[in-house]
Amino acid sequence: MNYDSLINNHTSIPLNIIGVEKADLGEVEIAIRYFTEAIEIDPEDPKAYFNRATLKVKLGDIQGARDDFINAKKRSK
């Protein structure tokens, strides 16, 4: 898949999509980078925090996951 056009969108949505795709492929660290970039673009996006939290659990970063889950809940509507 060509990610360039999606990334240049300057919103968090395509970065979340790419992150989920990378996670599905088992590329957890790369997926986390995409979710982190999504958060940098839109710090109010609860999906990016939630997605990153679920992967942090897989990596054993329980405190990081907890922080992300809390951030996701705070930003949920």
Side-chain angles (χ1 to χ4, degrees):
M1 176 177 219
N2 181 355
Y3 298 125
D4 292 336
S5 62
L6 290 175
I7 293 172
N8 291 331
N9 187 313
H10 300 292
T11 67
S12 63
I13 295 168
L15 294 166
N16 272 308
I17 292 168
I18 296 167
V20 169
E21 183 176 280
K22 293 295 183 182
D24 287 346
L25 294 171
E27 299 173 12
V28 175
E29 289 87 2
I30 295 170
I32 286 176
R33 280 187 252 148
Y34 278 104
F35 297 135
T36 301
E37 191 173 339
I39 291 166
E40 290 170 1
I41 289 172
D42 182 3
E44 296 303 314
D45 181 358
K47 293 177 207 77
Y49 286 101
F50 181 85
N51 290 336
R52 189 172 72 175
T54 60
L55 295 180
K56 285 182 176 181
V57 169
K58 286 185 177 188
L59 294 178
D61 180 4
I62 303 307
Q63 184 59 49
R66 183 179 184 277
D67 293 342
D68 279 350
F69 281 129
I70 289 169
N71 277 311
K73 183 176 180 181
K74 284 180 186 176
R75 287 157 175 82
S76 294
K77 296 177 180 162

